[in-house]
Amino acid sequence: MQTQKEPGFRESVNLMFNRAVTLLDLPQGLEEKIRVCNATYTVRFGVRLRGDIHTFKGYRSVHSEHMEPVKGGIRYATSVNQQEVEALAALMTFKCALVEAPFGGSKGGLCIDPREWEEHELEQITRRFAYELVKRDLISPSQNVPAPDMGTGEREMSWIADTYQRMNTTDINGKACVTGKPVTNGGIQGRVEATGRGVQYALQEFFRYPEDVAKAGLSGTLDGKRVVVQGLGNVGYHAAKFLSEEDGCKIIAVAEWDGGIHDPKGIDVQDLRDWISKHRGVKGYPNGTYVENGMVLIEEECDILLPAAIEGVVNAENAARVKAPLIIEAANGPVTAKADEILRQKGAVIIPDLYANAGGVTVSYFEWVKNLSHIRFGRMQRRQEEARHQLVVDELERLSADSGIGWQLSPNFKDKYLRGAGELELVRSGLDDTMRTAYQSMREVWHSRSDVDDLRVAAYLVGIARVAQSYGTKGL
Ligand code: NAD
């Protein structure tokens, strides 16, 4: 998306890395080791479809193996290329470090438009791609664990898991070779919406600090804030849905690949999503105003801009016209290095991708642990927790009766208090804790260092320092 004059995505990530690394006192050699991508594998394979052999090109890039397995999604899009997967793999390294998910960074992609193929054809293609990666240990529970990204979801992850398990029939941990699987096939509750939920938790945490909110020229809470969303896919849809239904945000515009919808009164996110699922785009949606060039909505007057589609959409060409004082990078790399500079000069606050979309890998981490432990979270503790809470309630009611005070615990309180945490509650709690803790580690750097004036550099500083520490303690 970025203009010709701008550096590409990989270079853009490097520039952001450089801005941070110069503030750390790392030996030159270690700095270079952390910057580079360790390996990128290109695979070309043929699949017989529609009476002909079709050759597909895919990648799996491993950025850093300071911790293994390495982790990162697999993207299906025609725009996939080596620079892109390497940039995304690098982001994964620092993202995992920032949210303390014990993985190195990786990413994969297949040059394909999934909309051009039938489901059974996509299954054949995915299985063959997975086979090529598994046989080279580029998919493995202990070495490299993919997850969904743009254009892929539970369905593809399930095919990948099955392919791995057919090739490794005695691997008892086989299901942990990939995350983002359906719950019925080794997945975990809350993974589908995890990235969008993480975006919501990130914004909630940001709004807990009035001085941070003031830096963006905003005030108050999320309630009533006007949000513009780009991309109503997995991440954008869930983030927009939770923010509008639970935090009182007003989604005033949604940009999609075929145009955008604008409605200052607020868009019904679920209704628009249903329309998109049925009509494959926003065009023709009866509520709000249709805008043919969705990109102009990025420049719309709003409180929060939430790009959740592809990289480079806020670039040197349009950054000066972006009016949002707060941008949350739900997508990876939506703001180029040049645009980042322009926006910072304008005083906008950017909650960076490294942090903002880390909910996905966080819950993927929980899923991987679940697969390795072969037991659902909460299965052992839930009833015991309920029994202990029941004891407290019984005792309170007895005291109240014996003393003659006659207090009654409200049924609503009892319902909530007596219910032990199941898998979904535990996943949400772990995700919320992760997003809060990671924000605080960034914020600490942001506020305490005079040479750090934005959250992106703070995020990179925390991430890079942790990777450096890991190399330092384990040796190369
Ligand atoms: P998705 O395929 O589910 O959704 C992407 C959406 O963006 C689709 O609705 C698509 O139509 C739309 N889109 C594509 N090109 C567009 C354009 N030019 N303008 C406007 N809209 C466009 O993908 P996703 O999983 O939601 O991923 C979106 C972004 O979030 C990517 O950058 C991805 O790397 C990042 N991300 C995803 C996850 C995850 O768990 N899925 C985790 C972390 C980061």
Side-chain angles (χ1 to χ4, degrees):
M1 270 272 172
Q2 53 254 71
T3 53
Q4 287 301 314
K5 279 167 271 154
E6 271 191 276
F9 189 15
R10 178 80 188 97
E11 191 48 31
S12 206
V13 170
N14 264 346
L15 289 170
M16 291 168 178
F17 174 93
N18 290 345
R19 229 164 36 88
V21 85
T22 47
L23 305 178
L24 285 168
D25 195 18
L26 295 185
Q28 187 73 43
L30 181 57
E31 189 182 308
E32 182 60 9
K33 174 67 211 75
I34 295 174
R35 178 187 292 107
V36 299
C37 216
N38 287 4
T40 302
Y41 190 83
T42 308
V43 54
R44 292 179 190 83
F45 57 91
V47 186
R48 187 178 290 281
L49 297 159
R50 303 178 188 177
D52 206 353
I53 292 177
H54 293 258
T55 302
F56 296 91
K57 187 158 128 189
Y59 303 91
R60 187 80 185 154
S61 178
V62 176
H63 176 260
S64 174
E65 290 150 291
H66 68 289
M67 282 196 190
E68 284 182 303
V70 294
K71 193 130 192 33
I74 289 185
R75 174 177 287 198
Y76 280 7
T78 48
S79 53
V80 162
N81 61 67
Q82 182 168 347
Q83 296 291 317
E84 183 185 75
V85 285
E86 289 189 358
L88 291 164
L91 286 177
M92 281 306 294
T93 295
F94 307 120
K95 186 181 302 179
C96 290
L98 180 65
V99 296
E100 299 178 280
F103 304 121
S106 180
K107 203 80 183 192
L110 188 64
C111 304
I112 186 176
D113 180 352
R115 283 176 290 211
E116 282 180 8
W117 300 96
E118 300 291 329
E119 181 163 354
H120 69 277
E121 295 171 326
L122 275 176
E123 177 171 357
Q124 259 179 281
I125 300 163
T126 303
R127 284 184 181 276
R128 184 58 200 256
F129 184 31
Y131 169 83
E132 294 294 332
L133 297 179
V134 172
K135 77 176 183 195
R136 294 174 175 91
D137 287 335
L138 288 163
I139 295 180
S140 140
S142 56
Q143 292 194 54
N144 198 323
V145 184
D149 194 75
M150 227 169 79
T152 59
E154 288 188 330
R155 184 183 64 174
E156 287 74 15
M157 300 308 115
S158 201
W159 293 331
I160 292 172
D162 187 60
T163 305
Y164 176 88
Q165 289 189 289
R166 285 177 191 218
M167 294 169 73
N168 297 274
T169 49
T170 56
D171 185 349
I172 196 169
N173 293 322
K175 282 240 184 314
C177 74
V178 66
T179 57
K181 302 177 292 291
V183 178
T184 45
N185 188 24
I188 192 166
Q189 302 263 357
R191 173 60 185 91
V192 178
E193 67 270 32
T195 311
R197 184 64 81 185
V199 170
Q200 178 199 25
Y201 289 164
L203 279 173
Q204 286 177 350
E205 182 63 3
F206 179 82
F207 275 85
R208 282 191 189 103
Y209 300 95
E211 59 279 36
D212 297 4
V213 177
K215 274 183 188 261
L218 294 169
S219 61
T221 65
L222 276 168
D223 193 26
K225 294 286 180 291
R226 299 159 305 156
V227 184
V228 170
V229 179
Q230 187 198 35
L232 209 65
N234 177 304
V235 179
Y237 157 67
H238 285 110
K241 183 176 162 72
F242 300 144
L243 287 168
S244 59
E245 288 178 3
E246 299 171 17
D247 297 292
C249 288
K250 209 194 279 184
I251 311 299
I252 59 159
V254 170
E256 257 292 333
W257 67 276
D258 67 332
I261 300 295
H262 183 234
D263 187 350
K265 294 196 300 296
I267 292 167
D268 181 334
V269 174
Q270 190 57 55
D271 194 50
L272 180 55
R273 169 81 166 188
D274 291 344
W275 176 275
I276 296 174
S277 307
K278 210 160 149 199
H279 301 87
R280 294 190 149 197
V282 293
K283 203 168 178 177
Y285 184 65
N287 306 315
T289 312
Y290 173 71
V291 182
E292 194 165 342
N293 176 12
M295 279 297 285
V296 298
L297 294 175
I298 284 185
E299 300 165 23
E300 188 62 32
E301 182 100 34
C302 65
D303 300 308
I304 304 170
L305 175 62
L306 196 156
I310 52 171
E311 54 269 15
V313 293
V314 181
N315 47 50
E317 196 276 314
N318 63 2
R321 298 193 300 274
V322 169
K323 297 175 197 73
L326 177 63
I327 299 171
I328 177 149
E329 296 185 324
N332 281 307
V335 176
T336 65
K338 188 79 195 136
D340 188 68
E341 205 180 308
I342 298 169
L343 290 165
R344 272 185 286 121
Q345 276 162 11
K346 282 174 50 165
V349 171
I350 302 175
I351 304 181
D353 47 7
L354 279 196
Y355 166 69
N357 66 37
V361 73
T362 301
V363 177
S364 274
Y365 168 39
F366 302 155
E367 179 178 334
W368 181 73
V369 171
K370 174 186 178 180
N371 292 152
L372 295 180
S373 59
H374 300 267
I375 189 164
R376 186 181 74 234
F377 288 110
R379 182 161 175 183
M380 304 288 278
Q381 309 93 315
R382 184 178 185 153
R383 302 299 167 198
Q384 200 258 357
E385 193 187 328
E386 287 180 359
R388 290 174 72 86
H389 286 187
Q390 186 69 56
L391 274 178
V392 174
V393 167
D394 290 348
E395 189 61 8
L396 279 175
E397 288 182 336
R398 187 191 65 76
L399 284 171
S400 165
D402 288 0
S403 62
I405 297 175
W407 282 340
Q408 290 285 321
L409 296 174
S410 76
N412 186 27
F413 167 81
K414 272 174 58 173
D415 262 7
K416 282 190 177 159
Y417 185 66
L418 288 175
R419 201 170 49 236
E423 187 168 82
L424 186 60
E425 288 85 2
L426 292 170
V427 163
R428 283 194 186 155
S429 152
L431 176 59
D432 195 11
D433 182 59
T434 302
M435 296 310 289
R436 290 191 200 202
T437 309
Y439 185 78
Q440 284 153 22
S441 61
M442 277 190 316
R443 183 174 193 272
E444 226 262 305
V445 173
W446 188 28
H447 287 275
S448 66
R449 286 186 65 146
S450 57
D451 52 2
V452 174
D453 55 16
D454 66 310
L455 278 167
R456 190 186 311 278
V457 163
Y460 271 91
L461 273 179
V462 175
I464 298 169
R466 289 188 182 153
V467 176
Q469 254 170 18
S470 166
Y471 276 122
T473 47
K474 77 180 230 181
L476 282 173

